[in-house]
Amino acid sequence: MSTSAADATAAPDRPAALIGWRLLSLFYDFWPVLALWMLIGAVMVAAFTAAGHDTHENIRPLTAWWFLEWALCWLAAGGYATLSWRRGGQTLGMRPWRLRVGGADGGVPGWKALWLRYAVGTLSLALGGLGFWWAWFDRDRLTWHDRASGTRTVRLRKQRR
């Protein structure tokens, strides 16, 4: 049997799980998101003080103010991610690692799919990254948020100069 015939009958390689690259990307993206959170925190403190609270009083956990602040932080991070994915398929953290998000069909995913991806990704992180680690066992190397949203994360080839 010739080598080309053996190659043709061999099972196709499984795609890479990209777990390390995804985690590096998340770490890199943490910094611009942290800046957004700090801005939201400053606005919330100003609003809290303007609402008549003492300037030395903190927003207490599990109060309406606290839930509002965390909801705004979650929405701001989601806005950063989904807008980046929609405009070019990449967040700032995905660029150096050559990762890109696209639809399963290769097209640009819709807003609903991207927000679903973000929400399921948030749940995955809240569960200790379980949805990310799942990619090592998935037959197509997809994470929970890839599967749920019908999107894919791929690693782009290095561009030659």
Side-chain angles (χ1 to χ4, degrees):
M1 180 179 260
S2 72
T3 307
S4 60
D7 289 342
T9 60
D13 291 334
R14 290 175 70 183
L18 304 175
I19 299 299
W21 300 117
R22 290 175 193 245
L23 293 176
L24 285 169
S25 170
L26 278 173
F27 177 74
Y28 196 103
D29 279 326
F30 172 74
W31 302 107
V33 169
L34 179 62
L36 287 172
W37 290 350
M38 291 173 74
L39 181 62
I40 290 167
V43 169
M44 287 296 295
V45 167
F48 188 71
T49 303
H53 296 275
D54 187 274
T55 56
H56 299 296
E57 186 180 356
N58 290 327
I59 296 174
R60 291 194 179 103
L62 304 177
T63 63
W65 283 95
W66 185 83
F67 281 111
L68 176 62
E69 184 172 7
W70 280 107
L72 290 173
C73 287
W74 186 81
L75 288 171
Y80 162 76
T82 58
L83 185 63
S84 298
W85 293 330
R86 180 78 176 165
R87 291 184 65 205
Q90 297 175 303
T91 60
L92 289 174
M94 295 171 82
R95 290 178 185 173
W97 314 114
R98 300 186 325 269
L99 298 177
R100 175 163 281 156
V101 171
D105 61 358
V108 177
W111 289 107
K112 182 178 177 183
L114 294 174
W115 276 100
L116 180 60
R117 175 185 178 80
Y118 177 69
V120 174
T122 301
L123 177 64
S124 172
L125 286 173
L127 295 173
L130 190 57
F132 284 86
W133 309 125
W134 179 262
W136 277 330
F137 305 103
D138 187 272
R139 70 179 178 275
D140 298 319
R141 302 289 196 189
L142 301 176
T143 60
W144 287 354
H145 46 282
D146 290 330
R147 282 229 177 262
S149 64
T151 60
R152 304 291 180 264
T153 301
V154 296
R155 187 144 194 253
L156 304 172
R157 294 179 189 263
K158 232 180 208 182
Q159 292 181 356
R160 295 183 184 219
R161 295 180 184 207

PDB file of all heavy atoms in Angstrom, residues 82-117:
ATOM      1  N   THR A  82     -18.197  40.592  22.878  1.00  0.00           N
ATOM      2  CA  THR A  82     -19.078  40.359  21.729  1.00  0.00           C
ATOM      3  C   THR A  82     -18.837  41.373  20.614  1.00  0.00           C
ATOM      4  O   THR A  82     -18.871  41.014  19.440  1.00  0.00           O
ATOM      5  CB  THR A  82     -20.564  40.375  22.145  1.00  0.00           C
ATOM      6  OG1 THR A  82     -20.882  41.616  22.762  1.00  0.00           O
ATOM      7  CG2 THR A  82     -20.879  39.221  23.085  1.00  0.00           C
ATOM      8  N   LEU A  83     -18.579  42.617  20.973  1.00  0.00           N
ATOM      9  CA  LEU A  83     -18.279  43.619  19.948  1.00  0.00           C
ATOM     10  C   LEU A  83     -16.983  43.264  19.214  1.00  0.00           C
ATOM     11  O   LEU A  83     -16.912  43.355  17.988  1.00  0.00           O
ATOM     12  CB  LEU A  83     -18.176  45.010  20.572  1.00  0.00           C
ATOM     13  CG  LEU A  83     -17.975  46.167  19.606  1.00  0.00           C
ATOM     14  CD1 LEU A  83     -19.170  46.303  18.665  1.00  0.00           C
ATOM     15  CD2 LEU A  83     -17.769  47.460  20.376  1.00  0.00           C
ATOM     16  N   SER A  84     -15.985  42.836  19.961  1.00  0.00           N
ATOM     17  CA  SER A  84     -14.713  42.423  19.343  1.00  0.00           C
ATOM     18  C   SER A  84     -14.907  41.226  18.427  1.00  0.00           C
ATOM     19  O   SER A  84     -14.386  41.200  17.307  1.00  0.00           O
ATOM     20  CB  SER A  84     -13.681  42.086  20.425  1.00  0.00           C
ATOM     21  OG  SER A  84     -13.390  43.207  21.218  1.00  0.00           O
ATOM     22  N   TRP A  85     -15.651  40.218  18.894  1.00  0.00           N
ATOM     23  CA  TRP A  85     -15.881  39.028  18.069  1.00  0.00           C
ATOM     24  C   TRP A  85     -16.675  39.366  16.823  1.00  0.00           C
ATOM     25  O   TRP A  85     -16.446  38.817  15.758  1.00  0.00           O
ATOM     26  CB  TRP A  85     -16.619  37.963  18.869  1.00  0.00           C
ATOM     27  CG  TRP A  85     -15.845  37.379  19.999  1.00  0.00           C
ATOM     28  CD1 TRP A  85     -14.494  37.219  20.102  1.00  0.00           C
ATOM     29  CD2 TRP A  85     -16.389  36.856  21.212  1.00  0.00           C
ATOM     30  NE1 TRP A  85     -14.168  36.650  21.295  1.00  0.00           N
ATOM     31  CE2 TRP A  85     -15.312  36.411  22.002  1.00  0.00           C
ATOM     32  CE3 TRP A  85     -17.683  36.731  21.710  1.00  0.00           C
ATOM     33  CZ2 TRP A  85     -15.494  35.825  23.253  1.00  0.00           C
ATOM     34  CZ3 TRP A  85     -17.858  36.154  22.963  1.00  0.00           C
ATOM     35  CH2 TRP A  85     -16.771  35.711  23.718  1.00  0.00           C
ATOM     36  N   ARG A  86     -17.628  40.262  16.957  1.00  0.00           N
ATOM     37  CA  ARG A  86     -18.490  40.617  15.827  1.00  0.00           C
ATOM     38  C   ARG A  86     -17.722  41.432  14.781  1.00  0.00           C
ATOM     39  O   ARG A  86     -17.912  41.262  13.586  1.00  0.00           O
ATOM     40  CB  ARG A  86     -19.691  41.405  16.359  1.00  0.00           C
ATOM     41  CG  ARG A  86     -20.661  41.835  15.314  1.00  0.00           C
ATOM     42  CD  ARG A  86     -21.545  40.715  14.890  1.00  0.00           C
ATOM     43  NE  ARG A  86     -22.511  41.270  13.938  1.00  0.00           N
ATOM     44  CZ  ARG A  86     -23.245  40.556  13.155  1.00  0.00           C
ATOM     45  NH1 ARG A  86     -23.177  39.252  13.208  1.00  0.00           N
ATOM     46  NH2 ARG A  86     -24.073  41.118  12.329  1.00  0.00           N
ATOM     47  N   ARG A  87     -16.869  42.341  15.239  1.00  0.00           N
ATOM     48  CA  ARG A  87     -16.163  43.240  14.320  1.00  0.00           C
ATOM     49  C   ARG A  87     -15.009  42.574  13.598  1.00  0.00           C
ATOM     50  O   ARG A  87     -14.736  42.910  12.457  1.00  0.00           O
ATOM     51  CB  ARG A  87     -15.666  44.458  15.073  1.00  0.00           C
ATOM     52  CG  ARG A  87     -16.820  45.351  15.506  1.00  0.00           C
ATOM     53  CD  ARG A  87     -16.365  46.608  16.173  1.00  0.00           C
ATOM     54  NE  ARG A  87     -15.625  47.436  15.234  1.00  0.00           N
ATOM     55  CZ  ARG A  87     -14.729  48.325  15.585  1.00  0.00           C
ATOM     56  NH1 ARG A  87     -14.443  48.493  16.855  1.00  0.00           N
ATOM     57  NH2 ARG A  87     -14.109  49.055  14.690  1.00  0.00           N
ATOM     58  N   GLY A  88     -14.286  41.694  14.252  1.00  0.00           N
ATOM     59  CA  GLY A  88     -13.127  41.104  13.582  1.00  0.00           C
ATOM     60  C   GLY A  88     -12.824  39.685  14.011  1.00  0.00           C
ATOM     61  O   GLY A  88     -11.823  39.107  13.604  1.00  0.00           O
ATOM     62  N   GLY A  89     -13.676  39.142  14.882  1.00  0.00           N
ATOM     63  CA  GLY A  89     -13.462  37.776  15.339  1.00  0.00           C
ATOM     64  C   GLY A  89     -12.450  37.623  16.452  1.00  0.00           C
ATOM     65  O   GLY A  89     -12.197  36.517  16.909  1.00  0.00           O
ATOM     66  N   GLN A  90     -11.855  38.745  16.894  1.00  0.00           N
ATOM     67  CA  GLN A  90     -10.800  38.663  17.895  1.00  0.00           C
ATOM     68  C   GLN A  90     -10.912  39.774  18.926  1.00  0.00           C
ATOM     69  O   GLN A  90     -11.214  40.916  18.587  1.00  0.00           O
ATOM     70  CB  GLN A  90      -9.424  38.812  17.235  1.00  0.00           C
ATOM     71  CG  GLN A  90      -9.072  37.732  16.258  1.00  0.00           C
ATOM     72  CD  GLN A  90      -7.756  38.036  15.569  1.00  0.00           C
ATOM     73  OE1 GLN A  90      -7.604  39.079  14.960  1.00  0.00           O
ATOM     74  NE2 GLN A  90      -6.819  37.111  15.674  1.00  0.00           N
ATOM     75  N   THR A  91     -10.629  39.416  20.176  1.00  0.00           N
ATOM     76  CA  THR A  91     -10.447  40.422  21.215  1.00  0.00           C
ATOM     77  C   THR A  91      -8.971  40.819  21.196  1.00  0.00           C
ATOM     78  O   THR A  91      -8.165  40.211  20.479  1.00  0.00           O
ATOM     79  CB  THR A  91     -10.793  39.847  22.601  1.00  0.00           C
ATOM     80  OG1 THR A  91      -9.924  38.740  22.861  1.00  0.00           O
ATOM     81  CG2 THR A  91     -12.249  39.423  22.689  1.00  0.00           C
ATOM     82  N   LEU A  92      -8.608  41.801  21.992  1.00  0.00           N
ATOM     83  CA  LEU A  92      -7.190  42.186  22.072  1.00  0.00           C
ATOM     84  C   LEU A  92      -6.319  41.011  22.502  1.00  0.00           C
ATOM     85  O   LEU A  92      -5.216  40.833  22.012  1.00  0.00           O
ATOM     86  CB  LEU A  92      -7.013  43.341  23.059  1.00  0.00           C
ATOM     87  CG  LEU A  92      -7.553  44.693  22.619  1.00  0.00           C
ATOM     88  CD1 LEU A  92      -7.436  45.703  23.764  1.00  0.00           C
ATOM     89  CD2 LEU A  92      -6.820  45.194  21.403  1.00  0.00           C
ATOM     90  N   GLY A  93      -6.823  40.209  23.429  1.00  0.00           N
ATOM     91  CA  GLY A  93      -6.056  39.078  23.933  1.00  0.00           C
ATOM     92  C   GLY A  93      -5.929  37.929  22.946  1.00  0.00           C
ATOM     93  O   GLY A  93      -5.023  37.102  23.053  1.00  0.00           O
ATOM     94  N   MET A  94      -6.807  37.860  21.981  1.00  0.00           N
ATOM     95  CA  MET A  94      -6.765  36.776  20.997  1.00  0.00           C
ATOM     96  C   MET A  94      -5.765  37.060  19.880  1.00  0.00           C
ATOM     97  O   MET A  94      -5.267  36.136  19.243  1.00  0.00           O
ATOM     98  CB  MET A  94      -8.156  36.553  20.409  1.00  0.00           C
ATOM     99  CG  MET A  94      -9.166  36.068  21.432  1.00  0.00           C
ATOM    100  SD  MET A  94     -10.843  36.046  20.803  1.00  0.00           S
ATOM    101  CE  MET A  94     -10.828  34.485  19.939  1.00  0.00           C
ATOM    102  N   ARG A  95      -5.469  38.323  19.647  1.00  0.00           N
ATOM    103  CA  ARG A  95      -4.597  38.699  18.525  1.00  0.00           C
ATOM    104  C   ARG A  95      -3.186  38.146  18.627  1.00  0.00           C
ATOM    105  O   ARG A  95      -2.686  37.564  17.665  1.00  0.00           O
ATOM    106  CB  ARG A  95      -4.593  40.206  18.347  1.00  0.00           C
ATOM    107  CG  ARG A  95      -5.905  40.708  17.828  1.00  0.00           C
ATOM    108  CD  ARG A  95      -5.943  42.197  17.680  1.00  0.00           C
ATOM    109  NE  ARG A  95      -7.288  42.609  17.283  1.00  0.00           N
ATOM    110  CZ  ARG A  95      -7.684  43.833  17.199  1.00  0.00           C
ATOM    111  NH1 ARG A  95      -6.826  44.809  17.482  1.00  0.00           N
ATOM    112  NH2 ARG A  95      -8.908  44.120  16.844  1.00  0.00           N
ATOM    113  N   PRO A  96      -2.491  38.322  19.752  1.00  0.00           N
ATOM    114  CA  PRO A  96      -1.111  37.807  19.785  1.00  0.00           C
ATOM    115  C   PRO A  96      -1.040  36.282  19.685  1.00  0.00           C
ATOM    116  O   PRO A  96      -0.026  35.737  19.246  1.00  0.00           O
ATOM    117  CB  PRO A  96      -0.555  38.292  21.118  1.00  0.00           C
ATOM    118  CG  PRO A  96      -1.682  38.853  21.876  1.00  0.00           C
ATOM    119  CD  PRO A  96      -2.832  39.043  20.962  1.00  0.00           C
ATOM    120  N   TRP A  97      -2.101  35.598  20.057  1.00  0.00           N
ATOM    121  CA  TRP A  97      -2.095  34.131  20.035  1.00  0.00           C
ATOM    122  C   TRP A  97      -2.754  33.590  18.765  1.00  0.00           C
ATOM    123  O   TRP A  97      -2.928  32.400  18.619  1.00  0.00           O
ATOM    124  CB  TRP A  97      -2.792  33.584  21.285  1.00  0.00           C
ATOM    125  CG  TRP A  97      -2.321  34.300  22.516  1.00  0.00           C
ATOM    126  CD1 TRP A  97      -3.054  35.108  23.328  1.00  0.00           C
ATOM    127  CD2 TRP A  97      -0.999  34.321  23.045  1.00  0.00           C
ATOM    128  NE1 TRP A  97      -2.281  35.623  24.319  1.00  0.00           N
ATOM    129  CE2 TRP A  97      -1.003  35.158  24.181  1.00  0.00           C
ATOM    130  CE3 TRP A  97       0.206  33.723  22.671  1.00  0.00           C
ATOM    131  CZ2 TRP A  97       0.132  35.407  24.936  1.00  0.00           C
ATOM    132  CZ3 TRP A  97       1.333  33.975  23.430  1.00  0.00           C
ATOM    133  CH2 TRP A  97       1.290  34.808  24.550  1.00  0.00           C
ATOM    134  N   ARG A  98      -3.156  34.519  17.867  1.00  0.00           N
ATOM    135  CA  ARG A  98      -3.733  34.171  16.563  1.00  0.00           C
ATOM    136  C   ARG A  98      -4.993  33.323  16.685  1.00  0.00           C
ATOM    137  O   ARG A  98      -5.203  32.383  15.931  1.00  0.00           O
ATOM    138  CB  ARG A  98      -2.698  33.477  15.673  1.00  0.00           C
ATOM    139  CG  ARG A  98      -1.482  34.322  15.392  1.00  0.00           C
ATOM    140  CD  ARG A  98      -0.513  33.720  14.398  1.00  0.00           C
ATOM    141  NE  ARG A  98      -0.359  32.307  14.402  1.00  0.00           N
ATOM    142  CZ  ARG A  98       0.545  31.623  15.109  1.00  0.00           C
ATOM    143  NH1 ARG A  98       1.361  32.269  15.908  1.00  0.00           N
ATOM    144  NH2 ARG A  98       0.623  30.318  15.028  1.00  0.00           N
ATOM    145  N   LEU A  99      -5.838  33.654  17.647  1.00  0.00           N
ATOM    146  CA  LEU A  99      -7.122  32.969  17.810  1.00  0.00           C
ATOM    147  C   LEU A  99      -8.218  33.821  17.185  1.00  0.00           C
ATOM    148  O   LEU A  99      -8.159  35.046  17.236  1.00  0.00           O
ATOM    149  CB  LEU A  99      -7.431  32.747  19.287  1.00  0.00           C
ATOM    150  CG  LEU A  99      -6.460  31.880  20.067  1.00  0.00           C
ATOM    151  CD1 LEU A  99      -6.875  31.821  21.528  1.00  0.00           C
ATOM    152  CD2 LEU A  99      -6.375  30.487  19.477  1.00  0.00           C
ATOM    153  N   ARG A 100      -9.206  33.166  16.610  1.00  0.00           N
ATOM    154  CA  ARG A 100     -10.330  33.887  16.009  1.00  0.00           C
ATOM    155  C   ARG A 100     -11.606  33.101  16.253  1.00  0.00           C
ATOM    156  O   ARG A 100     -11.642  31.883  16.141  1.00  0.00           O
ATOM    157  CB  ARG A 100     -10.111  34.060  14.514  1.00  0.00           C
ATOM    158  CG  ARG A 100     -11.343  34.694  13.844  1.00  0.00           C
ATOM    159  CD  ARG A 100     -11.064  35.243  12.501  1.00  0.00           C
ATOM    160  NE  ARG A 100     -10.398  36.533  12.729  1.00  0.00           N
ATOM    161  CZ  ARG A 100      -9.596  37.107  11.853  1.00  0.00           C
ATOM    162  NH1 ARG A 100      -9.348  36.525  10.718  1.00  0.00           N
ATOM    163  NH2 ARG A 100      -9.056  38.263  12.116  1.00  0.00           N
ATOM    164  N   VAL A 101     -12.675  33.834  16.567  1.00  0.00           N
ATOM    165  CA  VAL A 101     -14.000  33.254  16.749  1.00  0.00           C
ATOM    166  C   VAL A 101     -14.789  33.464  15.472  1.00  0.00           C
ATOM    167  O   VAL A 101     -14.813  34.557  14.922  1.00  0.00           O
ATOM    168  CB  VAL A 101     -14.736  33.912  17.944  1.00  0.00           C
ATOM    169  CG1 VAL A 101     -16.196  33.474  17.992  1.00  0.00           C
ATOM    170  CG2 VAL A 101     -14.041  33.575  19.242  1.00  0.00           C
ATOM    171  N   GLY A 102     -15.430  32.412  15.017  1.00  0.00           N
ATOM    172  CA  GLY A 102     -16.286  32.494  13.840  1.00  0.00           C
ATOM    173  C   GLY A 102     -17.450  31.540  13.989  1.00  0.00           C
ATOM    174  O   GLY A 102     -17.509  30.738  14.928  1.00  0.00           O
ATOM    175  N   GLY A 103     -18.368  31.611  13.071  1.00  0.00           N
ATOM    176  CA  GLY A 103     -19.493  30.694  13.069  1.00  0.00           C
ATOM    177  C   GLY A 103     -19.055  29.309  12.627  1.00  0.00           C
ATOM    178  O   GLY A 103     -18.000  29.141  11.999  1.00  0.00           O
ATOM    179  N   ALA A 104     -19.854  28.303  12.950  1.00  0.00           N
ATOM    180  CA  ALA A 104     -19.540  26.935  12.546  1.00  0.00           C
ATOM    181  C   ALA A 104     -19.462  26.825  11.030  1.00  0.00           C
ATOM    182  O   ALA A 104     -18.725  26.001  10.494  1.00  0.00           O
ATOM    183  CB  ALA A 104     -20.578  25.965  13.101  1.00  0.00           C
ATOM    184  N   ASP A 105     -20.198  27.698  10.336  1.00  0.00           N
ATOM    185  CA  ASP A 105     -20.197  27.692   8.876  1.00  0.00           C
ATOM    186  C   ASP A 105     -19.078  28.550   8.297  1.00  0.00           C
ATOM    187  O   ASP A 105     -18.953  28.679   7.081  1.00  0.00           O
ATOM    188  CB  ASP A 105     -21.542  28.181   8.346  1.00  0.00           C
ATOM    189  CG  ASP A 105     -21.865  29.612   8.783  1.00  0.00           C
ATOM    190  OD1 ASP A 105     -21.061  30.227   9.532  1.00  0.00           O
ATOM    191  OD2 ASP A 105     -22.932  30.116   8.381  1.00  0.00           O
ATOM    192  N   GLY A 106     -18.257  29.146   9.149  1.00  0.00           N
ATOM    193  CA  GLY A 106     -17.162  29.992   8.702  1.00  0.00           C
ATOM    194  C   GLY A 106     -17.520  31.462   8.592  1.00  0.00           C
ATOM    195  O   GLY A 106     -16.660  32.300   8.372  1.00  0.00           O
ATOM    196  N   GLY A 107     -18.790  31.792   8.752  1.00  0.00           N
ATOM    197  CA  GLY A 107     -19.234  33.181   8.659  1.00  0.00           C
ATOM    198  C   GLY A 107     -19.112  33.909   9.979  1.00  0.00           C
ATOM    199  O   GLY A 107     -18.600  33.391  10.967  1.00  0.00           O
ATOM    200  N   VAL A 108     -19.614  35.129   9.985  1.00  0.00           N
ATOM    201  CA  VAL A 108     -19.618  35.946  11.194  1.00  0.00           C
ATOM    202  C   VAL A 108     -20.847  35.577  12.016  1.00  0.00           C
ATOM    203  O   VAL A 108     -21.971  35.654  11.519  1.00  0.00           O
ATOM    204  CB  VAL A 108     -19.656  37.453  10.831  1.00  0.00           C
ATOM    205  CG1 VAL A 108     -19.733  38.300  12.087  1.00  0.00           C
ATOM    206  CG2 VAL A 108     -18.440  37.829  10.000  1.00  0.00           C
ATOM    207  N   PRO A 109     -20.668  35.180  13.266  1.00  0.00           N
ATOM    208  CA  PRO A 109     -21.821  34.817  14.105  1.00  0.00           C
ATOM    209  C   PRO A 109     -22.700  36.034  14.411  1.00  0.00           C
ATOM    210  O   PRO A 109     -22.216  37.161  14.461  1.00  0.00           O
ATOM    211  CB  PRO A 109     -21.190  34.281  15.390  1.00  0.00           C
ATOM    212  CG  PRO A 109     -19.737  34.152  15.136  1.00  0.00           C
ATOM    213  CD  PRO A 109     -19.397  35.009  13.959  1.00  0.00           C
ATOM    214  N   GLY A 110     -23.964  35.785  14.653  1.00  0.00           N
ATOM    215  CA  GLY A 110     -24.893  36.847  15.014  1.00  0.00           C
ATOM    216  C   GLY A 110     -24.737  37.245  16.473  1.00  0.00           C
ATOM    217  O   GLY A 110     -24.075  36.571  17.264  1.00  0.00           O
ATOM    218  N   TRP A 111     -25.389  38.357  16.816  1.00  0.00           N
ATOM    219  CA  TRP A 111     -25.311  38.862  18.186  1.00  0.00           C
ATOM    220  C   TRP A 111     -25.835  37.859  19.204  1.00  0.00           C
ATOM    221  O   TRP A 111     -25.261  37.701  20.281  1.00  0.00           O
ATOM    222  CB  TRP A 111     -26.083  40.177  18.314  1.00  0.00           C
ATOM    223  CG  TRP A 111     -25.403  41.316  17.621  1.00  0.00           C
ATOM    224  CD1 TRP A 111     -25.792  41.914  16.457  1.00  0.00           C
ATOM    225  CD2 TRP A 111     -24.205  41.980  18.037  1.00  0.00           C
ATOM    226  NE1 TRP A 111     -24.900  42.913  16.130  1.00  0.00           N
ATOM    227  CE2 TRP A 111     -23.925  42.978  17.089  1.00  0.00           C
ATOM    228  CE3 TRP A 111     -23.350  41.826  19.127  1.00  0.00           C
ATOM    229  CZ2 TRP A 111     -22.818  43.819  17.195  1.00  0.00           C
ATOM    230  CZ3 TRP A 111     -22.254  42.664  19.230  1.00  0.00           C
ATOM    231  CH2 TRP A 111     -21.994  43.643  18.282  1.00  0.00           C
ATOM    232  N   LYS A 112     -26.940  37.199  18.886  1.00  0.00           N
ATOM    233  CA  LYS A 112     -27.529  36.233  19.817  1.00  0.00           C
ATOM    234  C   LYS A 112     -26.531  35.112  20.117  1.00  0.00           C
ATOM    235  O   LYS A 112     -26.333  34.727  21.277  1.00  0.00           O
ATOM    236  CB  LYS A 112     -28.823  35.663  19.234  1.00  0.00           C
ATOM    237  CG  LYS A 112     -29.526  34.703  20.142  1.00  0.00           C
ATOM    238  CD  LYS A 112     -30.822  34.204  19.527  1.00  0.00           C
ATOM    239  CE  LYS A 112     -31.479  33.173  20.417  1.00  0.00           C
ATOM    240  NZ  LYS A 112     -32.691  32.636  19.813  1.00  0.00           N
ATOM    241  N   ALA A 113     -25.894  34.587  19.080  1.00  0.00           N
ATOM    242  CA  ALA A 113     -24.907  33.516  19.269  1.00  0.00           C
ATOM    243  C   ALA A 113     -23.717  34.001  20.095  1.00  0.00           C
ATOM    244  O   ALA A 113     -23.213  33.270  20.957  1.00  0.00           O
ATOM    245  CB  ALA A 113     -24.430  32.987  17.910  1.00  0.00           C
ATOM    246  N   LEU A 114     -23.281  35.225  19.857  1.00  0.00           N
ATOM    247  CA  LEU A 114     -22.124  35.756  20.587  1.00  0.00           C
ATOM    248  C   LEU A 114     -22.442  36.009  22.055  1.00  0.00           C
ATOM    249  O   LEU A 114     -21.623  35.718  22.935  1.00  0.00           O
ATOM    250  CB  LEU A 114     -21.614  37.026  19.908  1.00  0.00           C
ATOM    251  CG  LEU A 114     -21.024  36.809  18.518  1.00  0.00           C
ATOM    252  CD1 LEU A 114     -20.677  38.139  17.866  1.00  0.00           C
ATOM    253  CD2 LEU A 114     -19.813  35.890  18.568  1.00  0.00           C
ATOM    254  N   TRP A 115     -23.642  36.537  22.344  1.00  0.00           N
ATOM    255  CA  TRP A 115     -24.017  36.730  23.746  1.00  0.00           C
ATOM    256  C   TRP A 115     -24.247  35.389  24.444  1.00  0.00           C
ATOM    257  O   TRP A 115     -23.911  35.237  25.629  1.00  0.00           O
ATOM    258  CB  TRP A 115     -25.234  37.646  23.876  1.00  0.00           C
ATOM    259  CG  TRP A 115     -24.827  39.083  23.846  1.00  0.00           C
ATOM    260  CD1 TRP A 115     -24.892  39.940  22.795  1.00  0.00           C
ATOM    261  CD2 TRP A 115     -24.230  39.825  24.918  1.00  0.00           C
ATOM    262  NE1 TRP A 115     -24.385  41.166  23.150  1.00  0.00           N
ATOM    263  CE2 TRP A 115     -23.973  41.127  24.445  1.00  0.00           C
ATOM    264  CE3 TRP A 115     -23.896  39.514  26.232  1.00  0.00           C
ATOM    265  CZ2 TRP A 115     -23.392  42.126  25.243  1.00  0.00           C
ATOM    266  CZ3 TRP A 115     -23.329  40.511  27.024  1.00  0.00           C
ATOM    267  CH2 TRP A 115     -23.080  41.781  26.539  1.00  0.00           C
ATOM    268  N   LEU A 116     -24.759  34.404  23.714  1.00  0.00           N
ATOM    269  CA  LEU A 116     -24.900  33.068  24.293  1.00  0.00           C
ATOM    270  C   LEU A 116     -23.526  32.480  24.583  1.00  0.00           C
ATOM    271  O   LEU A 116     -23.300  31.883  25.642  1.00  0.00           O
ATOM    272  CB  LEU A 116     -25.692  32.152  23.346  1.00  0.00           C
ATOM    273  CG  LEU A 116     -25.913  30.726  23.833  1.00  0.00           C
ATOM    274  CD1 LEU A 116     -26.683  30.712  25.145  1.00  0.00           C
ATOM    275  CD2 LEU A 116     -26.648  29.925  22.768  1.00  0.00           C
ATOM    276  N   ARG A 117     -22.599  32.679  23.672  1.00  0.00           N
ATOM    277  CA  ARG A 117     -21.213  32.224  23.875  1.00  0.00           C
ATOM    278  C   ARG A 117     -20.633  32.857  25.138  1.00  0.00           C
ATOM    279  O   ARG A 117     -20.027  32.185  25.954  1.00  0.00           O
ATOM    280  CB  ARG A 117     -20.382  32.586  22.649  1.00  0.00           C
ATOM    281  CG  ARG A 117     -18.919  32.273  22.781  1.00  0.00           C
ATOM    282  CD  ARG A 117     -18.116  32.759  21.571  1.00  0.00           C
ATOM    283  NE  ARG A 117     -16.721  32.481  21.764  1.00  0.00           N
ATOM    284  CZ  ARG A 117     -16.144  31.312  21.564  1.00  0.00           C
ATOM    285  NH1 ARG A 117     -16.864  30.306  21.104  1.00  0.00           N
ATOM    286  NH2 ARG A 117     -14.867  31.130  21.791  1.00  0.00           N
TER     287      ARG A 117
END
